Structure formats: C-alpha cells, structure tokens
C-alpha cells in the first residue's frame, strides 16, 4: 500500500488534476462541471498542501507560514495559471511562458532532491539567501537540460506511441487535434 501511495502522490494529485482540467477547458471549452472540478481539486489541493507542507515550513525554512497565507498563495497560483492559459494573455505571443510550461514536469522531478542537495552543500559556507538563489538557479538549469536533451528528443516518438495505442476510430480526431 505504501508503494501505491508513493506512486500516486496523493498529497499533490489534486494539483495535477486541477491543471489537467484547466487544459481540458482550454482545449475543449468551458462548462460548469469542468470548472467545478477545477475548484474542487483546488480546494482539495489547498487542504493537502496545508496538511502536508505548512506544518513542515517552519521546521524546514524557519518561516512560520500561517494557514491563511498558504491559502492565499494557492489561490494566487491557481488564478495565475488560469489567467495565462484561458484569458487573452495566452495569445499575447509570450513564447517564454510556453517554455516555462515545458519546464514544469522536469522541474517537478528534480526540485526537491537536488534543491535540498545544493542547500546542504552550500549552507555552511554562504548566506541563506545566496544559497536559496543558487539552489533555485541550479534546479532550473537542471530542468532546462532535461527538457532540452531528454524531453524534446523523445516528444515525437512518445506522441507516435500514444496515438498508436488508440483504436483507429479514436485516433483520427486525436491526430487532427494534435496538428
């Protein structure tokens, strides 16, 4: 059961689900059910974040993060993502935002382990704010390298494999939507 909990990452699953629903709204249109799923997952994700992360914030960072502040941060994050994906901002030609979007998954994969590693290596020698900036820069560069040399090179192959996995009747609309 522990493997399943680790694999499914229940503490963060609602955040991924809300992001996926924002994509569904973007790609297939808005309706009440889709927005209810975004809001419901947002509420659950906020509750999970408070339960798992706020309790550890002071222990890990020395900052006493209050629950209302954590809720406000989560609302701001959700609103920002919805704004840049579903409003006229998404067509403003902000290519750097698309690139940042491409970095989200590799950043998710590396931020905690490698961020803490950098912090552990540099904390005894440098100011805490310098260490924080260096840790952020390091994980961003690592995520960019993964996006550039792993994800970008495997995208076409992965898309082909996914499309092949669908029956022919379902594949035509999916292939047209991908174009």
């Amino acid at each position: 059961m522990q493997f399943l909990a680790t694999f499914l990452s229940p503490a963060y699953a609602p955040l991924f689900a809300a992001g996926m629903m924002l994509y569904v709204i973007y790609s297939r249109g808005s309706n009440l059910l889709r927005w209810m799923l975004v809001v419901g997952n947002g509420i659950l994700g906020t509750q999970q974040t408070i339960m798992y992360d706020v309790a550890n914030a002071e222990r890990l960072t020395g900052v006493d993060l209050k629950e209302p502040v954590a809720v406000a941060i989560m609302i701001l994050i959700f609103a920002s993502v919805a704004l840049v994906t579903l409003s006229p901002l998404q067509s403003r030609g902000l290519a750097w935002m698309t690139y940042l979007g491409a970095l989200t998954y590799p950043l998710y994969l590396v931020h905690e382990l490698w961020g803490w590693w950098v912090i552990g290596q540099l904390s005894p020698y440098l100011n805490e704010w310098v260490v924080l900036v260096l840790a952020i820069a390091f994980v961003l560069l690592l995520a960019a390298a993964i996006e550039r040399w792993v994800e970008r090179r495997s995208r076409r192959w992965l898309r082909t494999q996914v499309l092949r996995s669908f029956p022919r009747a379902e594949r035509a609309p999916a292939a047209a939507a991908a174009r």
Side-chain angles (χ1 to χ4, degrees):
M1 197 60 143
Q2 179 61 35
F3 168 77
L4 193 57
T6 301
F7 180 73
L8 295 177
S9 193
Y12 303 106
L15 302 176
F16 287 110
M20 288 186 281
M21 285 311 304
L22 286 172
Y23 175 76
V24 169
I25 291 169
Y26 166 77
S27 64
R28 300 203 175 133
S30 176
N31 67 31
L32 181 61
L33 176 61
R34 291 173 182 160
W35 277 107
M36 287 174 59
L37 288 168
V38 170
V39 171
N41 277 296
I43 291 169
L44 186 57
T46 300
Q47 183 269 335
Q48 295 285 78
T49 297
I50 289 170
M51 194 168 83
Y52 289 102
D53 296 327
V54 170
N56 291 322
E58 187 171 11
R59 180 179 61 81
L60 295 172
T61 66
V63 175
D64 182 19
L65 182 63
K66 303 293 185 206
E67 287 184 14
V69 173
V71 170
I73 290 169
M74 294 299 290
I75 291 170
L76 181 65
I77 290 169
F78 273 93
S80 298
V81 171
L83 185 67
V84 299
T85 57
L86 302 174
S87 78
L89 282 179
Q90 57 109 355
S91 63
R92 291 276 190 202
L94 302 175
W96 61 273
M97 292 176 81
T98 301
Y99 181 69
L100 288 180
L103 291 183
T104 58
Y105 188 66
L107 186 59
Y108 162 74
L109 292 176
V110 301
H111 78 281
E112 185 174 11
L113 177 70
W114 290 103
W116 282 118
W117 179 79
V118 170
I119 290 168
Q121 296 299 308
L122 300 179
S123 291
Y125 310 106
L126 299 171
N127 171 283
E128 62 192 11
W129 293 106
V130 172
V131 171
L132 178 63
V133 168
L134 291 173
I136 291 169
F138 181 80
V139 296
L140 283 172
L141 286 171
L142 188 56
I146 291 169
E147 189 280 331
R148 172 68 179 95
W149 288 297
V150 177
E151 287 192 349
R152 205 177 286 183
R153 290 182 178 184
S154 62
R155 248 180 232 139
R156 181 175 288 147
W157 180 83
L158 285 171
R159 181 179 295 131
T160 301
Q161 298 310 310
V162 168
L163 289 175
R164 280 186 189 161
S165 71
F166 290 107
R168 189 168 286 286
E170 293 177 15
R171 194 177 335 155
R179 282 184 245 134

